Amino acid sequence: DTGVSQNPRHKITKRGQNVTFRCDPISEHNRLYWYRQTLGQGPEFLTYFQNEAQLEKSRLLSDRFSAERPKGSFSTLEIQRTEQGDSAMYLCASSTRDRGPVGEQYFGPGTRLTVT
Amino acid sequence: AQSVTQLGSHVSVSEGALVLLRCNYSSSVPPYLFWYVQYPNQGLQLLLKYTSAATLVKGINGFEAEFKKSETSFHLTKPSAHMSDAAEYFCAVSTGNQFYFGTGTSLTVIP
């Protein structure tokens, strides 16, 4: 399977704990995105990488959130001191330049976070 | 700034009937527009995209959408609904690095 993979698929944690999610994009894709999706809502953009450079961050991304893509391949999203409001599905997507500035995004299955 | 509005959070159609899911966008520059489908417990899958070529875009599974600049709309249609079309549908707009998604429309197909 050469699609976008995310691990873990589910994470239950207690409030105040730190969690880290991993995303492995499609291998030749240089762009990687993180989104958050809550029930009944569309995905909300969190951050975007081109290769290893984090080029954009949403204002939704508080200081407790940090994302990395150290070698321009996989990426991690860490949430420190989790709060119940962080409970959501965290989606990763990757793309490549596709005859223009905006390429099709391929989404992973997501990591569902539950903060108790 | 860009945004997307999807009218109707829930749409029900009979099997074989026309599917029409509405999407209006706001963008200060020519946008790129997308429709994604999400089946339960699965990731989002691209149905079709508009990137300033033909205004009528054909996608997978018999879906198509028409870009109407004067109406700032990008409605999704399918002539005949199948039971397998039941899913959540998201419209999205992008002018560069960020994508903005609508709140989604849940499609129910009645046998």
Side-chain angles (χ1 to χ4, degrees):
Chain A
D1 184 10
T2 58
V4 178
S5 62
Q6 293 186 246
N7 289 288
R9 294 291 306 276
H10 303 273
K11 179 70 176 179
I12 299 174
T13 191
K14 293 184 178 180
R15 188 179 56 177
Q17 297 294 306
N18 300 342
V19 295
T20 300
F21 310 140
R22 176 176 170 130
C23 171
D24 287 88
I26 294 172
S27 59
E28 63 267 25
H29 285 185
N30 60 344
R31 298 179 173 188
L32 188 146
Y33 304 78
W34 284 100
Y35 294 86
R36 179 172 64 193
Q37 186 179 21
T38 54
L39 196 62
Q41 299 295 318
E44 294 175 296
F45 171 82
L46 292 179
T47 190
Y48 156 69
F49 289 85
Q50 182 156 314
N51 300 312
E52 66 274 11
Q54 188 174 19
L55 297 185
E56 292 201 35
K57 290 174 60 174
S58 166
R59 284 171 289 180
L60 295 173
L61 214 61
S62 76
D63 291 344
R64 296 184 297 105
F65 288 70
S66 63
E68 294 183 343
R69 194 182 183 198
K71 297 182 180 179
S73 56
F74 73 92
S75 175
T76 58
L77 177 68
E78 180 182 17
I79 309 175
Q80 296 182 327
R81 305 181 302 281
T82 53
E83 302 172 356
Q84 287 187 323
D86 297 331
S87 295
M89 178 75 84
Y90 290 84
L91 299 171
C92 176
S94 69
S95 74
T96 186
R97 211 168 174 89
D98 177 31
R99 297 192 296 276
V102 179
E104 172 185 348
Q105 292 192 348
Y106 292 81
F107 280 82
T111 294
R112 182 168 296 283
L113 173 66
T114 302
V115 181
T116 62
Chain B
Q2 296 77 42
S3 67
V4 170
T5 301
Q6 290 185 242
L7 298 176
S9 58
H10 298 274
V11 170
S12 294
V13 299
S14 298
E15 191 175 14
L18 172 71
V19 176
L20 171 61
L21 305 183
R22 299 179 185 275
C23 173
N24 288 87
Y25 69 91
S26 171
S27 176
S28 56
V29 297
Y32 298 93
L33 295 160
F34 305 79
W35 274 100
Y36 282 85
V37 60
Q38 187 175 32
Y39 298 101
N41 299 315
Q42 294 188 27
L44 279 78
Q45 179 183 5
L46 182 71
L47 278 177
L48 48 83
K49 64 178 179 181
Y50 166 76
T51 55
S52 75
T55 57
L56 182 63
V57 181
K58 294 188 183 299
I60 62 172
N61 300 338
F63 284 94
E64 63 182 35
E66 186 173 9
F67 172 69
K68 293 186 176 181
K69 184 178 179 180
S70 61
E71 299 178 7
T72 61
S73 69
F74 191 57
H75 301 330
L76 181 70
T77 60
K78 181 174 180 177
S80 176
H82 295 170
M83 296 299 295
S84 61
D85 294 328
E88 190 85 15
Y89 291 80
F90 294 96
C91 182
V93 62
S94 178
T95 56
N97 297 333
Q98 290 201 25
F99 281 67
Y100 298 88
F101 285 81
T103 53
T105 298
S106 177
L107 177 66
T108 300
V109 182
I110 303 167

